[in-house]
Amino acid sequence: MNTDKLRTVQDWVSFYRHEFGLPVAERGGFVMLPVTGKVGVLHLPVARAEMVRDALRQQRRSGPMLARQIRWSFLVEPDSRPGEQILTALNRLDIGIPAIGSAVMLPTGLGRWTREGCHWVVPPARELQLPPLSMLVTTALAVGNMSED
């Protein structure tokens, strides 16, 4: 599909649904991806997110990554919810896991500059499987420990 012809938020909703199979909806004039039992999100500060991206590349794994000014959002498969100890460690590191029922805004453009102030580092793709949340949490904690050594 030629993304240059996508003009409206509804065009982008259709694009994300048909091209990538994402359960997006228009809300308040924006494309919103709800956090569900099948699609989750992990928010990371930029420096740690870049290290996670690099670690995933070394493992030949990847998943959709959305960049904002102060954090990146990784789309994940919510395979399990971390326990209290892990959640406390994640909170200390400013790593967030939005709850089911919340939503993340997606860009209405595939370039670097969008009206939403975010862009895809790795855009979604039908053949690109979402990485398990547990793997990303483990990687996010590990890369931080490696950089502190």
Side-chain angles (χ1 to χ4, degrees):
M1 177 177 264
N2 183 353
T3 58
D4 293 336
K5 295 185 179 188
L6 303 177
R7 299 279 179 240
T8 68
V9 171
Q10 198 54 50
D11 290 344
W12 280 95
V13 166
S14 295
F15 174 73
Y16 281 116
R17 283 182 183 167
H18 297 307
E19 292 296 311
F20 306 133
L22 294 173
V24 298
E26 183 275 332
R27 192 177 332 149
F30 295 98
V31 178
M32 302 301 289
L33 175 67
V35 174
T36 67
K38 295 184 188 256
V39 178
V41 175
L42 181 69
H43 296 304
L44 296 163
V46 172
R48 188 173 298 265
E50 290 171 337
M51 289 187 283
V52 169
R53 177 199 54 200
D54 295 345
L56 291 175
R57 281 184 182 155
Q58 289 175 355
Q59 299 170 24
R60 298 196 192 302
R61 300 273 323 242
S62 194
M65 296 173 219
L66 191 59
R68 290 188 169 74
Q69 199 167 16
I70 60 170
R71 70 176 185 191
W72 285 10
S73 301
F74 289 70
L75 302 188
V76 297
E77 176 193 339
D79 59 331
S80 64
R81 185 91 180 154
E84 268 320 298
Q85 257 188 319
I86 299 292
L87 286 173
T88 300
L90 294 175
N91 285 334
R92 265 196 318 272
L93 298 169
D94 199 25
I95 297 172
I97 303 172
I100 290 176
S102 59
V104 66
M105 184 186 309
L106 301 185
T108 52
L110 296 179
R112 187 151 171 94
W113 307 110
T114 66
R115 73 181 183 104
E116 297 83 6
C118 59
H119 67 275
W120 289 107
V121 176
V122 177
R126 278 206 182 265
E127 66 279 357
L128 189 62
Q129 280 191 296
L130 297 181
L133 173 63
S134 58
M135 182 190 82
L136 266 118
V137 166
T138 300
T139 304
L141 292 172
V143 297
N145 289 336
M146 288 187 296
S147 68
E148 293 163 9
D149 291 341

